[in-house]
Amino acid sequence: MLDERKCWEAVLERDASQNGRFYFGVVTTGVYCRPSCPARRPRRENVRFYEAPEAAERDGLRACLRCRPRETDSALGAQMAELCDFIRSSALLGEPPTLEVLCRRAGMTPFRLQRVFRAVVGMTPRQYLQASRFEALKQNLRKGESVTDAIYESGFGSSSRVYEQTGERLGMTPAEYRAGGRGLAISSVSFESPVGRLMVAATDRGLCFVQFGDSHEELLARLRSEYPEAMIEASETSERPEPAFPAPLDRYVEALRKHLAGEQPHLDLPVAVRATAFEQKVWSYLQSIPYGEVRSYSAVAEAIGQPAAVRAVARACAANRVAVVIPCHRVIRANGDLGGYRWGLERKRGLLAGEARHP
């Protein structure tokens, strides 16, 4: 039996994670839809819930032409995966496909292709093309290729386009990334926080690593794995960290310490980490969630203009490498469950409880 209260909440939040679990019909319009349907929300008294499309059709309802509830998520997923492969291979050849080519290949109108692609992949085809090129660039740089060769073999038409975005995409220049951070100076310190040991690391551009762990050694190994050739200066303390390290880092540490103690609710610290365009969009919104408040994954997806990209939002939260500064702990499931957290649910629970104690 369906829990109609939870079903209605999912419809209100356009929760794509509930697609396929139930369908809702609107008796005044005579259509039935997926929970994530972007159409205008109906009145509650006009809504009926069904476990399968056949049940809705027996009541005389027809499938919605916007969300197409008869099309399986797996079929659309397979189709978009094939399209992603085509975009990647074309990008590496320096011949990026036009939207018209993609539409013919998928058998969809431009509007429908953009909407389905964003819902399944979490970004537009154009953004995916750029992300694919940067991923190829990182792989070519890791192979030891020259920066110029790596740029052109990754499908970029000019090096200027790459350098315009490296601060956001790589967190360092292509040459620095190719060398695993060689020549890059990173200062770090780990200390005990209210929810366990925290390591904070930064370059001269901003924070590049803020993560929880069980020990200083574990966190340092994780940092060195991220930047294997960088010059890392690490210190450890069990007490309140004193500013015995470069000036920018001591300001970051002090701000984080006060934030975790409830003395500085708002954080505005520079971040220098690699990210896709979609991750940047999600992380930027997370930083706007007020201290002490939470949002559901579906609410975040809707806020960034991609209501069907709930799973992609969850993946972006899991990819966060600067805990607390990008507050992914403030995102929970629509039903109130905490959901996931890469540093453990107990820490997530502790962070939220700490913020609740200091409104």
Side-chain angles (χ1 to χ4, degrees):
M1 297 292 291
L2 295 173
D3 185 327
E4 294 198 354
R5 181 182 61 81
K6 290 185 177 180
C7 288
W8 178 238
E9 289 175 357
V11 171
L12 290 177
E13 295 189 2
R14 297 191 174 97
D15 188 353
S17 67
Q18 298 299 310
N19 285 348
R21 297 187 178 183
F22 74 90
Y23 302 82
F24 73 94
V26 185
V27 295
T28 50
T29 60
V31 301
Y32 68 93
C33 309
R34 299 170 185 264
S36 65
C37 183
R40 183 178 177 181
R41 296 185 183 89
R43 291 179 178 274
R44 175 64 184 89
E45 59 267 25
N46 297 328
V47 173
R48 305 291 183 270
F49 298 105
Y50 303 94
E51 294 183 347
E54 293 78 9
E57 291 169 3
R58 283 196 296 270
D59 274 0
L61 303 177
R62 65 184 185 278
C64 173
L65 294 178
R66 295 194 66 179
C67 66
R68 298 177 186 264
R70 271 292 188 180
E71 293 185 5
T72 65
D73 291 332
S74 58
L76 283 176
Q79 188 178 20
M80 293 304 105
E82 188 276 332
L83 213 58
C84 287
D85 291 339
F86 177 67
I87 292 173
R88 281 198 303 272
S89 59
S90 301
L92 294 179
L93 295 174
E95 302 172 356
T98 64
L99 183 60
E100 182 182 0
V101 169
L102 295 177
C103 289
R104 283 202 305 267
R105 195 174 184 91
M108 298 180 181
T109 64
F111 174 78
R112 176 153 172 76
L113 175 63
Q114 293 271 22
R115 186 167 63 84
V116 172
F117 195 94
R118 289 180 67 173
V120 175
V121 182
M123 61 185 77
T124 66
R126 182 178 179 83
Q127 290 170 333
Y128 184 80
L129 171 66
Q130 286 296 93
S132 299
R133 283 173 165 171
F134 268 95
E135 188 59 36
L137 174 63
K138 290 190 287 184
Q139 292 176 3
N140 290 333
L141 290 170
R142 289 190 189 113
K143 293 176 184 176
E145 295 184 17
S146 73
V147 172
T148 301
D149 289 345
I151 287 173
Y152 287 102
E153 288 184 17
S154 303
F156 289 98
S158 68
S159 58
S160 61
R161 296 285 299 277
V162 179
Y163 281 91
E164 287 171 1
Q165 302 180 60
T166 49
E168 296 177 347
R169 299 288 186 135
L170 297 177
M172 59 185 77
T173 68
E176 289 170 339
Y177 189 85
R178 171 180 176 270
R182 184 178 302 140
L184 198 65
I186 297 178
S187 300
S188 70
V189 62
S190 75
F191 58 94
E192 286 300 324
S193 78
V195 289
R197 182 154 289 273
L198 178 68
M199 176 168 279
V200 181
T203 68
D204 59 354
R205 298 186 184 97
L207 291 161
C208 62
F209 186 97
V210 181
Q211 299 193 24
F212 294 103
D214 295 327
S215 68
H216 174 78
E217 292 73 23
E218 173 202 332
L219 287 165
L220 185 56
R222 207 183 298 166
L223 175 61
R224 284 178 172 153
S225 173
E226 184 80 12
Y227 304 101
E229 300 297 329
M231 296 180 293
I232 297 176
E233 179 185 353
S235 57
E236 175 186 10
T237 176
S238 58
E239 305 296 333
R240 170 179 169 175
E242 297 299 333
F245 26 80
L249 183 61
D250 69 4
R251 291 197 300 272
Y252 304 155
V253 169
E254 182 66 7
L256 282 163
R257 187 195 66 78
K258 288 183 176 180
H259 182 77
L260 290 169
E263 300 169 10
Q264 182 177 324
H266 182 64
L267 280 178
D268 186 14
L269 303 177
V271 173
V273 295
R274 300 186 301 277
T276 66
F278 182 79
E279 287 170 348
Q280 290 171 35
K281 184 184 293 188
V282 172
W283 294 352
S284 177
Y285 177 77
L286 298 190
Q287 290 178 302
S288 74
I289 301 176
Y291 181 90
E293 295 186 17
V294 296
R295 300 286 187 273
S296 67
Y297 293 99
S298 52
V300 175
E302 187 167 350
I304 64 172
Q306 297 179 225
V310 178
R311 292 190 178 116
V313 165
R315 289 195 295 271
C317 291
N320 178 24
R321 296 182 295 284
V322 279
V324 183
V325 181
I326 296 173
C328 58
H329 63 278
R330 293 178 190 158
V331 186
I332 63 174
R333 290 177 178 162
N335 63 4
D337 291 343
L338 290 184
Y341 193 56
R342 71 180 296 175
W343 297 287
L345 287 182
E346 283 306 312
R347 286 196 174 98
K348 184 173 187 176
R349 187 175 289 108
L351 288 169
L352 293 175
E355 293 184 7
R357 286 196 298 270
H358 302 93

Coordinates of all heavy atoms in Angstrom, one line a residue, residues 251-296:
R251 N 44.6 32.0 9.3 CA 43.3 32.6 9.2 C 42.2 31.6 8.9 O 41.1 31.7 9.5 CB 43.3 33.7 8.2 CG 44.1 34.9 8.6 CD 43.8 36.1 7.7 NE 44.0 35.9 6.3 CZ 45.1 36.1 5.6 NH1 46.2 36.6 6.3 NH2 45.2 35.9 4.3
Y252 N 42.5 30.7 8.0 CA 41.5 29.7 7.6 C 41.2 28.8 8.8 O 40.0 28.5 9.1 CB 42.0 28.8 6.5 CG 42.4 29.5 5.2 CD1 43.3 29.0 4.3 CD2 41.8 30.8 4.9 CE1 43.7 29.7 3.2 CE2 42.2 31.5 3.8 CZ 43.1 30.9 2.9 OH 43.5 31.6 1.8
V253 N 42.2 28.4 9.5 CA 42.0 27.5 10.7 C 41.2 28.2 11.8 O 40.3 27.6 12.4 CB 43.4 27.0 11.2 CG1 43.2 26.3 12.5 CG2 44.1 26.1 10.2
E254 N 41.6 29.4 12.0 CA 40.9 30.1 13.1 C 39.4 30.3 12.7 O 38.5 30.1 13.6 CB 41.5 31.5 13.3 CG 40.9 32.3 14.4 CD 41.1 31.8 15.8 OE1 41.8 30.7 15.9 OE2 40.5 32.3 16.8
A255 N 39.1 30.6 11.5 CA 37.7 30.7 11.1 C 37.0 29.4 11.2 O 35.8 29.4 11.7 CB 37.7 31.2 9.6
L256 N 37.6 28.3 10.8 CA 36.9 27.0 10.9 C 36.7 26.6 12.4 O 35.7 26.1 12.7 CB 37.8 25.9 10.2 CG 37.6 25.9 8.7 CD1 38.8 25.1 8.0 CD2 36.3 25.3 8.3
R257 N 37.7 26.9 13.2 CA 37.6 26.6 14.6 C 36.4 27.3 15.2 O 35.6 26.7 16.0 CB 38.9 26.9 15.4 CG 38.9 26.4 16.8 CD 40.1 27.1 17.6 NE 39.8 28.5 17.7 CZ 39.0 29.1 18.6 NH1 38.2 28.3 19.4 NH2 38.8 30.4 18.6
K258 N 36.3 28.6 14.9 CA 35.2 29.4 15.5 C 33.9 28.9 14.9 O 32.8 28.9 15.6 CB 35.4 30.9 15.2 CG 36.5 31.5 16.0 CD 36.6 33.0 15.6 CE 37.6 33.7 16.5 NZ 37.8 35.1 16.2
H259 N 33.9 28.6 13.6 CA 32.6 28.1 13.0 C 32.1 26.8 13.7 O 30.9 26.7 14.0 CB 32.9 27.8 11.5 CG 31.7 27.4 10.8 ND1 30.7 28.2 10.4 CD2 31.3 26.1 10.4 CE1 29.8 27.6 9.7 NE2 30.1 26.3 9.7
L260 N 33.0 25.9 13.9 CA 32.6 24.6 14.5 C 32.2 24.8 16.0 O 31.5 24.0 16.6 CB 33.8 23.6 14.4 CG 34.1 23.1 13.0 CD1 35.4 22.3 13.0 CD2 32.9 22.2 12.5
A261 N 32.7 25.9 16.6 CA 32.3 26.1 18.0 C 31.0 27.0 18.1 O 30.6 27.3 19.2 CB 33.5 26.9 18.7
G262 N 30.5 27.3 16.9 CA 29.3 28.1 16.9 C 29.5 29.6 17.1 O 28.6 30.4 17.3
E263 N 30.8 30.1 17.0 CA 31.1 31.5 17.2 C 31.1 32.3 15.9 O 31.1 33.5 16.0 CB 32.5 31.6 17.9 CG 32.5 30.9 19.3 CD 33.9 30.8 19.8 OE1 34.8 31.5 19.2 OE2 34.2 30.1 20.8
Q264 N 31.2 31.6 14.8 CA 31.2 32.3 13.5 C 30.4 31.6 12.5 O 30.9 30.7 11.7 CB 32.7 32.4 13.0 CG 32.8 33.2 11.7 CD 34.3 33.3 11.3 OE1 35.2 33.5 12.1 NE2 34.6 33.2 10.0
P265 N 29.1 31.8 12.5 CA 28.2 31.0 11.6 C 28.5 31.1 10.2 O 28.4 30.1 9.5 CB 26.8 31.7 11.9 CG 26.9 32.3 13.3 CD 28.3 32.8 13.3
H266 N 28.9 32.3 9.7 CA 29.1 32.4 8.2 C 30.6 32.2 7.9 O 31.4 32.8 8.5 CB 28.6 33.8 7.7 CG 28.8 34.0 6.3 ND1 28.1 33.2 5.3 CD2 29.6 34.8 5.6 CE1 28.4 33.6 4.1 NE2 29.3 34.6 4.2
L267 N 30.8 31.3 6.9 CA 32.2 31.1 6.4 C 32.3 31.7 4.9 O 31.4 31.4 4.1 CB 32.5 29.6 6.3 CG 33.0 29.0 7.7 CD1 33.2 27.5 7.4 CD2 34.2 29.7 8.2
D268 N 33.3 32.4 4.7 CA 33.6 32.9 3.3 C 35.1 32.8 3.0 O 35.8 33.8 3.1 CB 33.1 34.4 3.2 CG 33.2 34.9 1.8 OD1 33.4 34.0 0.9 OD2 33.1 36.1 1.6
L269 N 35.5 31.6 2.8 CA 36.9 31.3 2.6 C 37.2 30.8 1.1 O 36.3 30.2 0.5 CB 37.3 30.1 3.5 CG 37.1 30.4 5.0 CD1 37.5 29.1 5.8 CD2 37.9 31.6 5.5
P270 N 38.3 31.2 0.6 CA 38.6 30.9 -0.8 C 38.9 29.4 -0.9 O 39.5 28.8 -0.1 CB 39.9 31.7 -1.1 CG 40.5 31.9 0.2 CD 39.4 32.0 1.2
V271 N 38.4 28.8 -2.0 CA 38.6 27.3 -2.3 C 39.3 27.1 -3.6 O 39.0 27.8 -4.6 CB 37.2 26.6 -2.3 CG1 37.3 25.2 -2.7 CG2 36.5 26.7 -0.9
A272 N 40.3 26.2 -3.6 CA 41.0 25.9 -4.8 C 41.0 24.4 -5.0 O 42.0 23.7 -4.7 CB 42.4 26.5 -4.7
V273 N 39.9 23.9 -5.5 CA 39.9 22.4 -5.8 C 39.3 22.2 -7.2 O 38.6 23.1 -7.8 CB 39.0 21.7 -4.8 CG1 39.6 21.8 -3.4 CG2 37.6 22.3 -4.8
R274 N 39.5 21.0 -7.7 CA 39.0 20.7 -9.1 C 37.5 20.4 -8.9 O 37.0 19.9 -7.9 CB 39.7 19.4 -9.6 CG 41.2 19.6 -9.8 CD 41.8 18.4 -10.5 NE 41.6 17.1 -9.7 CZ 42.3 16.7 -8.7 NH1 43.3 17.5 -8.3 NH2 42.1 15.6 -8.1
A275 N 36.8 20.8 -10.0 CA 35.3 20.5 -10.0 C 34.8 20.6 -11.4 O 35.3 21.3 -12.3 CB 34.6 21.6 -9.1
T276 N 33.7 19.9 -11.7 CA 33.0 20.0 -12.9 C 32.1 21.2 -12.8 O 31.8 21.8 -11.7 CB 32.1 18.8 -13.2 OG1 31.1 18.7 -12.2 CG2 33.0 17.5 -13.1
A277 N 31.5 21.6 -14.0 CA 30.6 22.8 -14.0 C 29.4 22.5 -13.1 O 28.9 23.4 -12.4 CB 30.2 23.1 -15.4
F278 N 28.9 21.3 -13.2 CA 27.7 20.9 -12.3 C 28.1 21.0 -10.9 O 27.3 21.5 -10.0 CB 27.2 19.5 -12.7 CG 25.9 19.1 -12.0 CD1 24.7 19.7 -12.3 CD2 26.0 18.3 -10.9 CE1 23.5 19.3 -11.6 CE2 24.9 17.9 -10.2 CZ 23.6 18.4 -10.6
E279 N 29.2 20.4 -10.5 CA 29.6 20.4 -9.1 C 29.8 21.9 -8.6 O 29.4 22.2 -7.5 CB 31.0 19.7 -8.9 CG 30.8 18.2 -9.0 CD 32.2 17.4 -9.1 OE1 33.2 18.1 -9.3 OE2 32.2 16.2 -9.0
Q280 N 30.3 22.7 -9.4 CA 30.5 24.1 -9.0 C 29.1 24.7 -8.7 O 28.9 25.5 -7.7 CB 31.2 24.9 -10.1 CG 32.6 24.6 -10.3 CD 33.2 25.2 -11.6 OE1 32.8 26.3 -11.9 NE2 34.1 24.5 -12.2
K281 N 28.1 24.4 -9.6 CA 26.8 25.0 -9.4 C 26.2 24.5 -8.1 O 25.6 25.3 -7.3 CB 25.9 24.6 -10.6 CG 24.5 25.2 -10.5 CD 23.7 24.8 -11.7 CE 24.2 25.3 -13.0 NZ 23.2 25.0 -14.1
V282 N 26.3 23.2 -7.8 CA 25.8 22.6 -6.6 C 26.5 23.2 -5.4 O 25.8 23.6 -4.4 CB 25.9 21.1 -6.6 CG1 25.5 20.5 -5.2 CG2 25.0 20.5 -7.7
W283 N 27.8 23.2 -5.4 CA 28.6 23.7 -4.3 C 28.3 25.1 -4.0 O 28.2 25.6 -2.8 CB 30.1 23.5 -4.5 CG 30.5 22.0 -4.6 CD1 29.7 20.9 -4.3 CD2 31.7 21.5 -5.0 NE1 30.4 19.8 -4.5 CE2 31.6 20.1 -4.9 CE3 33.0 22.1 -5.4 CZ2 32.7 19.3 -5.2 CZ3 34.0 21.3 -5.7 CH2 33.9 19.9 -5.6
S284 N 28.1 25.9 -5.0 CA 27.8 27.4 -4.8 C 26.5 27.5 -4.1 O 26.3 28.3 -3.1 CB 27.8 28.1 -6.1 OG 27.4 29.4 -6.0
Y285 N 25.5 26.7 -4.4 CA 24.2 26.8 -3.8 C 24.3 26.3 -2.3 O 23.8 26.9 -1.4 CB 23.1 25.9 -4.5 CG 21.8 25.9 -3.7 CD1 21.0 27.0 -3.8 CD2 21.5 24.9 -2.9 CE1 19.8 27.1 -3.0 CE2 20.3 24.9 -2.2 CZ 19.5 26.0 -2.2 OH 18.3 26.1 -1.5
L286 N 25.1 25.2 -2.1 CA 25.3 24.7 -0.7 C 25.8 25.8 0.2 O 25.4 25.9 1.4 CB 26.2 23.5 -0.7 CG 25.8 22.3 -1.5 CD1 26.7 21.1 -1.1 CD2 24.3 21.9 -1.2
Q287 N 26.7 26.6 -0.3 CA 27.3 27.7 0.5 C 26.3 28.8 0.8 O 26.6 29.6 1.7 CB 28.5 28.3 -0.2 CG 29.7 27.3 -0.2 CD 30.9 27.8 -1.0 OE1 30.8 28.2 -2.2 NE2 32.0 27.9 -0.3
S288 N 25.1 28.8 0.1 CA 24.1 29.8 0.4 C 23.1 29.3 1.5 O 22.3 30.1 1.9 CB 23.4 30.2 -0.9 OG 22.5 29.1 -1.3
I289 N 23.1 28.0 1.8 CA 22.2 27.5 2.8 C 22.6 28.1 4.2 O 23.7 27.9 4.7 CB 22.3 25.9 2.9 CG1 21.9 25.3 1.5 CG2 21.3 25.4 4.0 CD1 22.0 23.8 1.5
P290 N 21.7 28.7 4.9 CA 22.0 29.4 6.1 C 22.4 28.4 7.2 O 22.0 27.2 7.2 CB 20.7 30.1 6.5 CG 19.9 30.2 5.3 CD 20.3 29.0 4.4
Y291 N 23.3 28.8 8.1 CA 23.8 28.1 9.2 C 22.6 27.6 10.0 O 21.7 28.3 10.3 CB 24.7 29.0 10.0 CG 25.3 28.4 11.3 CD1 26.5 27.8 11.2 CD2 24.6 28.4 12.5 CE1 27.1 27.2 12.3 CE2 25.2 27.9 13.6 CZ 26.5 27.3 13.6 OH 27.0 26.8 14.7
G292 N 22.6 26.3 10.4 CA 21.5 25.7 11.2 C 20.3 25.3 10.4 O 19.4 24.7 11.0
E293 N 20.3 25.5 9.1 CA 19.2 25.0 8.2 C 19.6 23.8 7.3 O 20.8 23.6 7.1 CB 18.7 26.2 7.4 CG 18.0 27.3 8.2 CD 17.4 28.4 7.3 OE1 17.2 28.0 6.1 OE2 17.2 29.5 7.8
V294 N 18.7 23.1 6.8 CA 18.9 22.0 5.9 C 18.1 22.1 4.7 O 17.0 22.8 4.7 CB 18.7 20.6 6.6 CG1 19.7 20.4 7.8 CG2 17.3 20.4 7.1
R295 N 18.5 21.4 3.6 CA 17.7 21.3 2.4 C 17.7 19.8 2.0 O 18.6 19.1 2.2 CB 18.3 22.2 1.3 CG 18.4 23.6 1.6 CD 17.0 24.3 1.6 NE 17.1 25.7 1.7 CZ 17.1 26.4 2.9 NH1 17.1 25.7 4.0 NH2 17.2 27.7 2.9
S296 N 16.6 19.4 1.3 CA 16.6 18.1 0.7 C 17.4 18.1 -0.6 O 17.6 19.1 -1.2 CB 15.2 17.6 0.5 OG 14.6 18.4 -0.6

